[in-house]
């Protein structure tokens, strides 16, 4: 049994960067798929080697610390192994539940469509969009910036969550039963409002809570 007080990591990202230049990559088997294969783990072990580090995170991904000089080749190798490497920075970043490990895929096509059209859009600060495939909502979409809960060809849309900290709070229901044919358009409008009206570097929850009484929100629904 590990002693808690001695079981601490040697190679944190900060420690590695005090002696070199490392980049952190967030890696997962996919937006929906949460199962790694042994071959993917072998690839991860190979690219990290003796110099880098591996850490699991709360965001459905494994964080790899990689020497910055080899990052481009490493991303290529990880993607060749079928792994998804999340883009970093102030962009729209998609998350999703595992759709019951592929048994409940009704919302998968629209989730993929949203990924193709929204992932990577530049925004004032990173905006997490979390899609869950049924009302069980077991991957906590209401604790992300925009939470979508699928039910019978439609989504309930939650906005304004404070995702962490002592004041963490779930988002509130913004729109109920938005048809799958309208959801992409609604999300694009929300993202446009954020880009247009947010203060510099203002997180989405602060922006939404500050502006939610403005007329431009009422025009959306
Ligand atoms: S939210 Fe629903 S579809 Fe998604 S993993 Fe949970 S039970 Fe399955």
């Amino acid at each position: 049994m590990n002693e808690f007080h001695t079981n601490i990591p040697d190679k944190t990202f900060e420690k590695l960067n005090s002696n070199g230049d490392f980049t952190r990559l967030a890696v997962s088997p996919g937006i929906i798929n949460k199962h790694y294969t042994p071959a993917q783990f072998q690839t991860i072990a190979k690219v990290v080697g003796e110099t880098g580090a591996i850490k699991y995170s709360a965001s459905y991904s494994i964080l790899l610390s990689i020497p910055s000089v080899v990052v481009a080749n490493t991303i290529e190798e990880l993607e060749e192994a079928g792994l998804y490497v999340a883009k970093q920075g102030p962009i729209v970043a998609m998350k999703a539940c595992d759709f019951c490990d592929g048994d409940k895929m009704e919302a998968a096509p629209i989730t993929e469509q949203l990924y193709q059209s929204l992932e990577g859009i530049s925004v004032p600060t990173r905006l997490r969009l979390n899609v869950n495939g049924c009302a069980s909502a077991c991957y906590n979409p209401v604790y992300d910036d925009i939470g979508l809960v699928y039910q019978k060809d439609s989504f309930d849309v939650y906005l304004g969550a404070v995702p962490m900290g002592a004041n963490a709070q779930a988002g509130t229901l913004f729109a109920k039963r938005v048809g799958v044919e309208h959801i992409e358009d609604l999300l694009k409008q929300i993202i446009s409002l954020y880009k247009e009206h947010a203060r510099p570097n203002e997180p989405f929850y602060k922006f939404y809570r500050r502006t939610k009484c403005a007329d431009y929100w009422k025009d959306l629904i």
Side-chain angles (χ1 to χ4, degrees):
M1 172 71 179
N2 291 316
E3 297 288 345
F4 289 5
H5 69 287
T6 56
N7 185 18
I8 53 173
D10 294 329
K11 295 201 283 184
T12 65
F13 191 60
E14 287 67 28
K15 284 179 191 166
L16 288 171
N17 270 300
S18 64
N19 292 316
D21 181 13
F22 282 76
T23 297
R24 184 172 264 175
L25 300 177
V27 171
S28 66
I31 297 290
I32 292 173
N33 184 11
K34 309 288 189 263
H35 279 67
Y36 293 85
T37 66
Q40 287 173 337
F41 264 17
Q42 282 169 348
T43 300
I44 288 171
K46 177 171 167 274
V47 300
V48 169
E50 293 300 317
T51 50
I54 306 172
K55 177 185 181 181
Y56 79 81
S57 76
S59 61
Y60 321 160
S61 58
I62 290 179
L63 304 178
L64 310 184
S65 298
I66 302 287
S68 299
V69 68
V70 296
V71 159
N73 288 346
T74 301
I75 291 175
E76 214 171 285
E77 207 169 330
L78 292 166
E79 289 179 342
E80 272 170 19
L83 289 160
Y84 170 71
V85 183
K87 296 180 195 77
Q88 300 300 307
I91 57 166
V92 176
M94 288 265 308
K95 298 163 76 176
C97 73
D98 61 29
F99 292 81
C100 292
D101 283 337
D103 285 342
K104 221 170 179 175
M105 293 291 274
E106 212 179 310
I110 181 66
T111 302
E112 184 160 2
Q113 182 186 321
L114 295 176
Y115 171 79
Q116 299 295 351
S117 70
L118 305 177
E119 167 91 4
I121 293 177
S122 294
V123 282
T125 66
R126 197 168 179 86
L127 188 153
R128 290 168 187 82
L129 167 62
N130 189 346
V131 186
N132 276 211
C134 80
S136 295
C138 44
Y139 277 74
N140 288 330
V142 297
Y143 276 93
D144 274 299
D145 296 310
I146 301 178
L148 299 185
V149 179
Y150 179 81
Q151 293 181 71
K152 290 194 183 106
D153 296 326
S154 67
F155 286 100
D156 289 348
V157 180
Y158 292 82
L159 300 182
V162 183
M164 62 181 82
N167 298 320
Q169 232 176 42
T172 52
L173 184 63
F174 173 73
K176 200 163 174 55
R177 294 292 167 97
V178 179
V180 290
E181 67 279 22
H182 300 303
I183 191 69
E184 181 182 337
D185 188 43
L186 175 65
L187 294 174
K188 281 182 171 166
Q189 291 180 62
I190 291 171
I191 292 164
S192 294
L193 288 182
Y194 182 38
K195 289 174 71 127
E196 193 179 336
H197 298 287
R199 293 170 177 155
N201 302 321
E202 187 175 33
F204 183 79
Y205 74 87
K206 284 193 178 166
F207 159 70
Y208 178 65
R209 288 168 182 228
R210 176 174 65 78
T211 66
K212 65 182 176 186
C213 294
D215 286 344
Y216 49 72
W217 285 106
K218 294 177 197 128
D219 295 340
L220 295 191
I221 47 178

